[in-house]
Amino acid sequence: MHKPTERVLRILLTLASEKEDLTLTEISEKTKIPKSTISPILSTLVDMRFLAKKSEMKYRIGINSFIVGEAYIESTSFLEMIKSYMTEVVKECNEICQLGILQDNKVFYIAKKDPKQSIQLMSYVGKFLPIYSTALGKVLVYKNSEEEIKDIVGDNMVPLTERTITDIDDFLNEIETVKNNGYSFDLQETSLDSKCVAVPIEKGGKVIAAMSVSIPNFRSTDEKLKNAIQVLLKYKKEIESYFTHNIYNEEDLI
């Protein structure tokens, strides 16, 4: 690879995967790029609006990075097809529907459809969340071997809430339940304000994406969760049938 280009992209991916803005020192530590090398790269990315710099000397993703990402999403026909089914999921559940893929050992949220609710969950395309705390993450890795899952999850299972699974053996037990059910739950493991259910989207026996419905706690009844599961399973089947009858390359989605 071309080393200077690789450094630029590593910086962008690092900032995209972090919830908080980062200082130059923090970016250097996370990317393993010397501060003297990183400084002019950051200045150029800020000047070209791929990064934004806050007054306290912290950096975040800028507007032009968003524009590039949106252009990618709009140009991906299979993603647009899935989003059309996500719209139907929202119509039937009246809750937010999200699509995620596995990227850099995290769940990357690649699309979402919002319901017509006066009070709804806040989420955004482009965020990264841990595999072990999310319903999407659990179905994305449920076909992997135990050793592969351990490698993907890593050693540092930081809790997001008091309900987050932080022991790898407990997580592997959870994956066995996912294998038996064909769907997964996030029961306040990512946020105490919501519950979530997800299903895998598969092609040729391989999980290529995952689709979920998230419900605020005050609307999250057993009946509503059960309905969300049935709706997701129905549209999972339709999406996978579409893949079966159309020429599809994994690169078209990710």
Side-chain angles (χ1 to χ4, degrees):
M1 287 192 292
H2 185 244
K3 195 67 176 178
T5 305
E6 187 265 342
R7 286 171 178 158
V8 172
L9 298 179
R10 189 144 37 107
I11 291 167
L12 289 172
L13 287 171
T14 297
L15 282 162
S17 67
E18 293 292 328
K19 287 185 177 181
E20 305 295 332
D21 301 340
L22 299 178
T23 64
L24 184 152
T25 299
E26 289 169 334
I27 296 169
S28 176
E29 290 172 351
K30 289 178 180 292
T31 60
K32 304 294 190 293
I33 302 171
K35 286 195 283 187
S36 59
T37 302
I38 261 186
S39 184
I41 297 175
L42 293 177
S43 295
T44 301
L45 289 171
V46 169
D47 288 343
M48 296 189 68
R49 302 179 73 189
F50 282 90
L51 294 182
K53 185 178 181 182
K54 298 184 69 176
S55 57
E56 56 267 35
M57 306 299 287
K58 290 189 175 183
Y59 297 84
R60 63 168 52 171
I61 287 294
I63 185 65
N64 279 340
S65 293
F66 171 78
I67 290 170
V68 170
E70 282 293 293
Y72 163 75
I73 289 172
E74 293 301 321
S75 68
T76 308
S77 59
F78 279 98
L79 183 54
E80 288 303 305
M81 178 274 296
I82 295 175
K83 286 167 68 176
S84 70
Y85 284 113
M86 292 171 66
T87 299
E88 297 305 311
V89 171
V90 172
K91 286 180 182 178
E92 296 191 30
C93 294
N94 201 21
E95 299 292 350
I96 187 172
C97 180
Q98 301 185 90
L99 187 75
I101 61 173
L102 193 61
Q103 185 78 11
D104 297 328
N105 290 3
K106 293 182 181 179
V107 179
F108 176 61
Y109 286 71
I110 196 170
K112 76 179 180 83
K113 291 291 181 180
D114 290 312
K116 293 181 179 179
Q117 293 273 19
S118 57
I119 300 175
Q120 54 184 277
L121 296 171
M122 296 300 294
S123 185
Y124 62 92
V125 171
K127 71 178 178 180
F128 288 82
L129 283 176
I131 289 163
Y132 56 85
S133 72
T134 53
L136 288 170
K138 293 170 188 176
V139 291
L140 281 169
V141 301
Y142 92 104
K143 283 200 166 181
N144 291 70
S145 69
E146 287 193 4
E147 289 306 312
E148 287 171 334
I149 292 172
K150 287 179 181 179
D151 185 56
I152 292 169
V153 172
D155 298 324
N156 193 19
M157 298 173 71
V158 178
L160 275 65
T161 76
E162 62 195 41
R163 295 178 178 269
T164 305
I165 298 172
T166 57
D167 180 83
I168 189 62
D169 290 328
D170 291 341
F171 184 69
L172 291 172
N173 289 335
E174 181 85 353
I175 295 301
E176 287 302 313
T177 302
V178 175
K179 289 178 181 179
N180 292 331
N181 292 339
Y183 54 84
S184 63
F185 288 108
D186 163 6
L187 301 177
Q188 299 175 283
E189 296 159 52
T190 299
S191 168
L192 291 175
D193 297 326
S194 65
K195 295 177 183 176
C196 180
V197 60
V199 297
I201 306 298
E202 302 180 47
K203 171 80 166 58
K206 180 181 179 181
V207 179
I208 59 171
M211 184 168 60
S212 70
V213 168
S214 296
I215 309 170
N217 274 342
F218 69 91
R219 290 199 297 262
S220 183
T221 63
D222 289 344
E223 182 180 356
K224 197 168 180 67
L225 279 169
K226 188 180 294 185
N227 177 65
I229 292 168
Q230 295 307 312
V231 172
L232 284 169
L233 288 172
K234 178 174 72 172
Y235 287 106
K236 158 190 167 69
K237 185 176 180 180
E238 294 199 21
I239 292 168
E240 291 174 352
S241 177
Y242 186 95
F243 287 148
T244 300
H245 296 95
N246 291 271
I247 297 173
Y248 165 80
N249 294 314
E250 190 172 344
E251 291 78 10
D252 293 334
L253 182 61
I254 62 173

